[in-house]
């Protein structure tokens, strides 16, 4: 009982229901608590943050764990469920990448030059 996190009264109640009603009695008598936010508002928050903001931790795209942590009151599974419902795959969203390397332009020109006019007897490998 301690492994399940319940006491003897709980076990006795459910055992009694099973003995009296069999499988038909194995349902919760209370529907549970109402969601803290309306589902539409929750979806709007997740979609807005996913599509209009970038992660502040420097990641290239959102993961369900990062987004759930940023929003605070949304579970990872809720984020995944909303993304799946709307067909969103954050790792495949097209975004403009910004490079902070001051020599990026020179390096890019050298690399493009190698592809356009490779030296004789040279192999161009990309990593």
């Amino acid at each position: 009982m301690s492994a399940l996190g319940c006491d003897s009264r709980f076990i006795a109640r459910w055992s009694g229901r099973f003995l009296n009603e069999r499988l038909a009695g194995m349902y919760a008598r209370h529907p549970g608590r109402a969601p803290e936010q309306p589902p539409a508002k929750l979806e709007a928050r997740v979609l807005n943050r996913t599509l209009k903001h970038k992660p502040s931790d420097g990641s290239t795209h959102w993961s369900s764990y990062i987004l759930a942590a940023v929003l605070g009151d949304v579970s990872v599974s809720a984020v995944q469920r909303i993304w799946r419902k709307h067909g969103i795959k954050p790792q495949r969203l097209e975004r403009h990448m910004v490079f902070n390397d001051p020599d990026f332009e020179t390096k890019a020109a050298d690399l493009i030059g190698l592809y356009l006019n490779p030296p004789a007897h040279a192999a161009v490998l990309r990593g």
Side-chain angles (χ1 to χ4, degrees):
M1 287 189 295
S2 63
L4 297 175
C6 54
D7 62 6
S8 59
R9 292 175 297 159
F10 180 85
I11 301 294
R13 183 182 323 125
W14 283 90
S15 297
R17 287 180 187 171
F18 181 74
L19 291 173
N20 292 333
E21 304 173 48
R22 306 308 280 174
L23 288 178
M26 301 280 89
Y27 66 92
R29 301 296 198 251
H30 305 286
R33 61 188 173 129
E36 294 176 14
Q37 297 181 43
K41 186 176 181 181
L42 179 69
E43 278 189 24
R45 283 183 59 221
V46 169
L47 294 173
N48 180 45
R49 181 63 70 140
T50 304
L51 299 173
K52 295 184 180 179
H53 299 89
K54 292 182 180 181
S56 59
D57 67 351
S59 301
T60 58
H61 61 275
W62 288 107
S63 75
S64 53
Y65 291 92
I66 294 172
L67 185 59
V70 167
L71 293 175
D73 59 344
V74 181
S75 69
V76 172
S77 59
V79 171
Q80 292 170 341
R81 188 172 46 251
I82 292 167
W83 284 351
R84 192 171 31 256
K85 177 181 176 183
H86 294 279
I88 295 174
K89 297 179 182 179
Q91 71 276 14
R92 295 190 176 192
L93 293 176
E94 291 186 25
R95 293 219 167 97
H96 176 70
M97 304 268 305
V98 177
F99 295 99
N100 296 328
D101 186 355
D103 297 326
F104 174 74
E105 192 173 321
T106 306
K107 291 176 185 177
D110 290 343
L111 185 62
I112 292 169
L114 286 173
Y115 274 99
L116 295 176
N117 189 14
H121 308 294
V124 177
L125 305 173
R126 45 182 281 237

